[in-house]
Short mmCIF file of all heavy atoms in Angstrom, two decimals:
data_model
loop_
_atom_site.label_atom_id
_atom_site.label_comp_id
_atom_site.label_asym_id
_atom_site.label_seq_id
_atom_site.Cartn_x
_atom_site.Cartn_y
_atom_site.Cartn_z
N ARG B 68 91.71 -32.60 262.11
CA ARG B 68 90.32 -32.56 261.62
C ARG B 68 89.91 -31.12 261.30
O ARG B 68 88.78 -30.88 260.93
CB ARG B 68 89.38 -33.13 262.69
CG ARG B 68 89.78 -34.54 263.09
CD ARG B 68 88.66 -35.57 263.00
NE ARG B 68 87.38 -35.14 263.51
CZ ARG B 68 86.88 -35.52 264.67
NH1 ARG B 68 87.60 -36.28 265.48
NH2 ARG B 68 85.70 -35.11 265.06
N VAL B 69 90.85 -30.17 261.51
CA VAL B 69 90.47 -28.77 261.38
C VAL B 69 90.93 -28.19 260.05
O VAL B 69 92.10 -28.30 259.67
CB VAL B 69 91.09 -27.94 262.54
CG1 VAL B 69 90.76 -26.47 262.38
CG2 VAL B 69 90.61 -28.46 263.88
N TRP B 70 90.00 -27.54 259.36
CA TRP B 70 90.32 -26.85 258.12
C TRP B 70 90.70 -25.40 258.43
O TRP B 70 90.05 -24.75 259.25
CB TRP B 70 89.11 -26.80 257.19
CG TRP B 70 88.73 -28.10 256.55
CD1 TRP B 70 87.71 -28.93 256.88
CD2 TRP B 70 89.37 -28.70 255.43
NE1 TRP B 70 87.66 -30.01 256.05
CE2 TRP B 70 88.67 -29.90 255.14
CE3 TRP B 70 90.46 -28.35 254.63
CZ2 TRP B 70 89.04 -30.75 254.08
CZ3 TRP B 70 90.82 -29.20 253.58
CH2 TRP B 70 90.11 -30.37 253.32
N THR B 71 91.78 -24.92 257.78
CA THR B 71 92.02 -23.47 257.84
C THR B 71 92.11 -22.94 256.42
O THR B 71 92.58 -23.62 255.51
CB THR B 71 93.35 -23.09 258.53
OG1 THR B 71 94.26 -24.16 258.38
CG2 THR B 71 93.18 -22.75 259.98
N VAL B 72 91.64 -21.72 256.27
CA VAL B 72 91.69 -21.07 254.97
C VAL B 72 93.00 -20.29 254.89
O VAL B 72 93.25 -19.39 255.69
CB VAL B 72 90.49 -20.12 254.77
CG1 VAL B 72 90.61 -19.41 253.44
CG2 VAL B 72 89.19 -20.90 254.84
N VAL B 73 93.84 -20.66 253.93
CA VAL B 73 95.15 -20.02 253.78
C VAL B 73 95.04 -18.75 252.93
O VAL B 73 95.72 -17.76 253.17
CB VAL B 73 96.14 -21.02 253.13
CG1 VAL B 73 97.46 -20.36 252.84
CG2 VAL B 73 96.32 -22.24 254.01
N SER B 74 94.20 -18.82 251.93
CA SER B 74 94.15 -17.74 250.95
C SER B 74 92.74 -17.71 250.36
O SER B 74 92.25 -18.73 249.91
CB SER B 74 95.18 -18.05 249.87
OG SER B 74 95.61 -16.91 249.21
N ALA B 75 92.08 -16.56 250.38
CA ALA B 75 90.66 -16.56 249.98
C ALA B 75 90.19 -15.26 249.35
O ALA B 75 89.27 -14.62 249.85
CB ALA B 75 89.80 -16.90 251.19
N GLY B 76 90.77 -14.89 248.22
CA GLY B 76 90.29 -13.72 247.52
C GLY B 76 89.14 -14.08 246.59
O GLY B 76 88.89 -15.26 246.33
N PRO B 77 88.46 -13.11 246.03
CA PRO B 77 87.30 -13.38 245.18
C PRO B 77 87.70 -13.84 243.79
O PRO B 77 88.79 -13.50 243.31
CB PRO B 77 86.61 -12.01 245.10
CG PRO B 77 87.74 -11.04 245.24
CD PRO B 77 88.72 -11.67 246.18
N THR B 78 86.82 -14.59 243.15
CA THR B 78 87.01 -14.93 241.75
C THR B 78 86.11 -14.04 240.90
O THR B 78 85.24 -13.35 241.43
CB THR B 78 86.71 -16.43 241.50
OG1 THR B 78 87.15 -16.78 240.18
CG2 THR B 78 85.23 -16.74 241.63
N THR B 79 86.33 -14.03 239.59
CA THR B 79 85.56 -13.17 238.70
C THR B 79 84.11 -13.59 238.66
O THR B 79 83.78 -14.71 238.28
CB THR B 79 86.15 -13.23 237.27
OG1 THR B 79 87.54 -12.96 237.34
CG2 THR B 79 85.48 -12.22 236.38
N SER B 80 83.22 -12.70 239.05
CA SER B 80 81.80 -13.03 239.17
C SER B 80 81.09 -13.20 237.84
O SER B 80 80.06 -13.88 237.76
CB SER B 80 81.08 -11.93 239.96
OG SER B 80 81.64 -11.80 241.24
N ALA B 81 81.64 -12.58 236.78
CA ALA B 81 80.96 -12.60 235.49
C ALA B 81 80.60 -14.02 235.03
O ALA B 81 79.60 -14.21 234.34
CB ALA B 81 81.82 -11.92 234.43
N ARG B 82 81.39 -14.98 235.41
CA ARG B 82 81.11 -16.36 234.98
C ARG B 82 79.82 -16.91 235.57
O ARG B 82 79.23 -17.85 235.05
CB ARG B 82 82.27 -17.30 235.36
CG ARG B 82 83.59 -16.97 234.68
CD ARG B 82 84.58 -18.11 234.81
NE ARG B 82 84.75 -18.57 236.18
CZ ARG B 82 85.57 -18.01 237.06
NH1 ARG B 82 86.27 -16.95 236.71
NH2 ARG B 82 85.68 -18.48 238.27
N GLU B 83 79.37 -16.34 236.68
CA GLU B 83 78.13 -16.84 237.30
C GLU B 83 76.90 -16.07 236.82
O GLU B 83 75.78 -16.35 237.26
CB GLU B 83 78.21 -16.74 238.83
CG GLU B 83 79.52 -17.13 239.49
CD GLU B 83 80.18 -18.39 238.96
OE1 GLU B 83 79.50 -19.24 238.34
OE2 GLU B 83 81.40 -18.53 239.13
N GLU B 84 77.11 -15.12 235.93
CA GLU B 84 75.99 -14.30 235.44
C GLU B 84 74.82 -15.13 234.92
O GLU B 84 73.67 -14.81 235.22
CB GLU B 84 76.48 -13.30 234.39
CG GLU B 84 75.41 -12.42 233.75
CD GLU B 84 74.71 -11.48 234.73
OE1 GLU B 84 75.20 -11.31 235.87
OE2 GLU B 84 73.65 -10.94 234.39
N PRO B 85 75.06 -16.21 234.18
CA PRO B 85 73.90 -16.99 233.70
C PRO B 85 73.06 -17.59 234.82
O PRO B 85 71.90 -17.91 234.61
CB PRO B 85 74.55 -18.11 232.87
CG PRO B 85 75.91 -17.63 232.54
CD PRO B 85 76.32 -16.72 233.66
N TYR B 86 73.66 -17.73 236.01
CA TYR B 86 72.98 -18.47 237.08
C TYR B 86 72.48 -17.61 238.24
O TYR B 86 71.55 -18.00 238.95
CB TYR B 86 73.94 -19.50 237.69
CG TYR B 86 74.59 -20.41 236.70
CD1 TYR B 86 75.95 -20.28 236.39
CD2 TYR B 86 73.87 -21.42 236.06
CE1 TYR B 86 76.56 -21.12 235.49
CE2 TYR B 86 74.48 -22.27 235.16
CZ TYR B 86 75.82 -22.12 234.87
OH TYR B 86 76.44 -22.95 233.98
N GLU B 87 73.13 -16.47 238.48
CA GLU B 87 72.94 -15.78 239.76
C GLU B 87 71.52 -15.32 240.03
O GLU B 87 71.04 -15.44 241.15
CB GLU B 87 73.91 -14.59 239.86
CG GLU B 87 74.25 -14.24 241.29
CD GLU B 87 75.08 -15.33 241.96
OE1 GLU B 87 76.31 -15.30 241.82
OE2 GLU B 87 74.47 -16.21 242.60
N ALA B 88 70.84 -14.78 239.01
CA ALA B 88 69.47 -14.30 239.23
C ALA B 88 68.59 -15.43 239.76
O ALA B 88 67.81 -15.24 240.70
CB ALA B 88 68.90 -13.74 237.94
N ALA B 89 68.74 -16.61 239.16
CA ALA B 89 67.93 -17.77 239.58
C ALA B 89 68.28 -18.17 241.01
O ALA B 89 67.41 -18.52 241.81
CB ALA B 89 68.16 -18.94 238.63
N VAL B 90 69.56 -18.11 241.35
CA VAL B 90 70.00 -18.49 242.70
C VAL B 90 69.43 -17.51 243.74
O VAL B 90 68.94 -17.91 244.79
CB VAL B 90 71.54 -18.53 242.78
CG1 VAL B 90 72.03 -18.65 244.21
CG2 VAL B 90 72.09 -19.68 241.93
N ILE B 91 69.51 -16.21 243.39
CA ILE B 91 68.99 -15.19 244.32
C ILE B 91 67.50 -15.40 244.54
O ILE B 91 67.00 -15.37 245.66
CB ILE B 91 69.26 -13.77 243.77
CG1 ILE B 91 70.77 -13.46 243.79
CG2 ILE B 91 68.50 -12.71 244.59
CD1 ILE B 91 71.16 -12.21 243.03
N GLY B 92 66.78 -15.61 243.43
CA GLY B 92 65.34 -15.79 243.51
C GLY B 92 64.95 -17.05 244.26
O GLY B 92 64.07 -17.02 245.11
N HIS B 93 65.63 -18.15 243.95
CA HIS B 93 65.23 -19.44 244.51
C HIS B 93 65.61 -19.59 245.97
O HIS B 93 64.84 -20.12 246.78
CB HIS B 93 65.85 -20.57 243.68
CG HIS B 93 65.44 -21.94 244.16
ND1 HIS B 93 64.18 -22.46 243.95
CD2 HIS B 93 66.11 -22.86 244.87
CE1 HIS B 93 64.11 -23.67 244.50
NE2 HIS B 93 65.26 -23.94 245.07
N TYR B 94 66.82 -19.13 246.32
CA TYR B 94 67.31 -19.37 247.68
C TYR B 94 67.16 -18.18 248.63
O TYR B 94 67.40 -18.31 249.82
CB TYR B 94 68.77 -19.81 247.64
CG TYR B 94 68.97 -21.24 247.16
CD1 TYR B 94 69.45 -21.51 245.89
CD2 TYR B 94 68.67 -22.32 248.00
CE1 TYR B 94 69.64 -22.82 245.45
CE2 TYR B 94 68.86 -23.62 247.58
CZ TYR B 94 69.34 -23.87 246.30
OH TYR B 94 69.52 -25.17 245.88
N GLY B 95 66.81 -17.01 248.09
CA GLY B 95 66.63 -15.85 248.98
C GLY B 95 67.94 -15.30 249.52
O GLY B 95 68.02 -14.84 250.66
N VAL B 96 68.97 -15.32 248.67
CA VAL B 96 70.28 -14.80 249.07
C VAL B 96 70.20 -13.27 249.21
O VAL B 96 69.56 -12.60 248.40
CB VAL B 96 71.32 -15.21 248.00
CG1 VAL B 96 72.63 -14.52 248.22
CG2 VAL B 96 71.49 -16.72 247.98
N ARG B 97 70.85 -12.71 250.22
CA ARG B 97 70.75 -11.27 250.48
C ARG B 97 71.91 -10.48 249.86
O ARG B 97 71.80 -9.29 249.60
CB ARG B 97 70.85 -10.99 251.96
CG ARG B 97 69.67 -10.76 252.86
CD ARG B 97 68.61 -9.85 252.48
NE ARG B 97 67.50 -10.59 251.92
CZ ARG B 97 66.61 -11.27 252.64
NH1 ARG B 97 66.70 -11.30 253.95
NH2 ARG B 97 65.65 -11.92 252.05
N ALA B 98 73.04 -11.12 249.69
CA ALA B 98 74.19 -10.42 249.10
C ALA B 98 75.09 -11.42 248.40
O ALA B 98 75.15 -12.59 248.78
CB ALA B 98 74.98 -9.67 250.17
N VAL B 99 75.74 -10.92 247.36
CA VAL B 99 76.70 -11.72 246.61
C VAL B 99 78.03 -10.97 246.65
O VAL B 99 78.09 -9.79 246.29
CB VAL B 99 76.24 -11.90 245.14
CG1 VAL B 99 77.31 -12.61 244.33
CG2 VAL B 99 74.93 -12.65 245.09
N ILE B 100 79.08 -11.65 247.11
CA ILE B 100 80.41 -11.03 247.14
C ILE B 100 81.22 -11.61 246.00
O ILE B 100 81.21 -12.82 245.77
CB ILE B 100 81.16 -11.35 248.45
CG1 ILE B 100 80.30 -11.08 249.69
CG2 ILE B 100 82.48 -10.57 248.53
CD1 ILE B 100 80.93 -11.59 250.98
N GLY B 101 81.93 -10.74 245.27
CA GLY B 101 82.78 -11.26 244.20
C GLY B 101 83.71 -10.18 243.71
O GLY B 101 84.01 -9.23 244.46
N LYS B 102 84.16 -10.32 242.45
CA LYS B 102 84.93 -9.22 241.87
C LYS B 102 84.55 -9.04 240.41
O LYS B 102 84.13 -9.98 239.75
CB LYS B 102 86.43 -9.46 242.03
CG LYS B 102 87.07 -10.32 240.96
CD LYS B 102 88.59 -10.23 241.06
CE LYS B 102 89.21 -11.54 240.67
NZ LYS B 102 89.53 -11.69 239.25
N GLY B 103 84.65 -7.81 239.97
CA GLY B 103 84.37 -7.48 238.58
C GLY B 103 82.93 -7.18 238.29
O GLY B 103 82.59 -6.76 237.18
N GLY B 104 82.05 -7.37 239.25
CA GLY B 104 80.65 -7.04 239.04
C GLY B 104 79.88 -8.09 238.27
O GLY B 104 80.42 -9.13 237.88
N MET B 105 78.58 -7.85 238.08
CA MET B 105 77.74 -8.78 237.31
C MET B 105 76.87 -7.98 236.35
O MET B 105 76.91 -6.76 236.34
CB MET B 105 76.92 -9.63 238.28
CG MET B 105 77.81 -10.39 239.27
SD MET B 105 77.00 -11.73 240.13
CE MET B 105 76.96 -12.97 238.84
N GLY B 106 76.11 -8.68 235.55
CA GLY B 106 75.39 -8.03 234.45
C GLY B 106 73.97 -7.62 234.78
O GLY B 106 73.55 -7.61 235.93
N GLU B 107 73.25 -7.28 233.69
CA GLU B 107 71.90 -6.73 233.84
C GLU B 107 70.92 -7.72 234.44
O GLU B 107 70.04 -7.35 235.23
CB GLU B 107 71.37 -6.28 232.46
CG GLU B 107 72.13 -5.10 231.85
CD GLU B 107 72.04 -3.82 232.68
OE1 GLU B 107 71.03 -3.60 233.37
OE2 GLU B 107 73.03 -3.06 232.66
N LYS B 108 71.07 -9.00 234.07
CA LYS B 108 70.13 -10.02 234.56
C LYS B 108 70.21 -10.10 236.08
O LYS B 108 69.20 -10.10 236.79
CB LYS B 108 70.47 -11.37 233.92
CG LYS B 108 69.40 -12.43 234.04
CD LYS B 108 69.74 -13.63 233.14
CE LYS B 108 69.29 -14.92 233.79
NZ LYS B 108 70.00 -16.11 233.26
N THR B 109 71.45 -10.13 236.61
CA THR B 109 71.64 -10.16 238.06
C THR B 109 71.18 -8.85 238.67
O THR B 109 70.54 -8.83 239.72
CB THR B 109 73.11 -10.42 238.41
OG1 THR B 109 73.53 -11.65 237.83
CG2 THR B 109 73.32 -10.48 239.91
N GLY B 110 71.51 -7.74 237.99
CA GLY B 110 71.10 -6.43 238.49
C GLY B 110 69.60 -6.35 238.71
O GLY B 110 69.12 -5.84 239.72
N LYS B 111 68.85 -6.89 237.75
CA LYS B 111 67.39 -6.88 237.87
C LYS B 111 66.94 -7.71 239.06
O LYS B 111 66.03 -7.33 239.80
CB LYS B 111 66.73 -7.42 236.58
CG LYS B 111 66.78 -6.48 235.41
CD LYS B 111 65.73 -6.84 234.34
CE LYS B 111 65.68 -5.81 233.23
NZ LYS B 111 66.71 -6.10 232.17
#
Side-chain angles (χ1 to χ4, degrees):
Chain B
R68 304 233 317 256
V69 177
W70 287 104
T71 27
V72 177
V73 174
S74 204
T78 191
T79 308
S80 300
R82 297 194 308 276
E83 319 316 339
E84 178 64 13
Y86 307 108
E87 207 68 86
V90 169
I91 292 169
H93 182 73
Y94 285 106
V96 171
R97 262 312 99 77
V99 174
I100 311 171
K102 85 168 146 90
M105 303 196 76
E107 294 298 329
K108 195 169 145 201
T109 302
K111 286 200 174 85

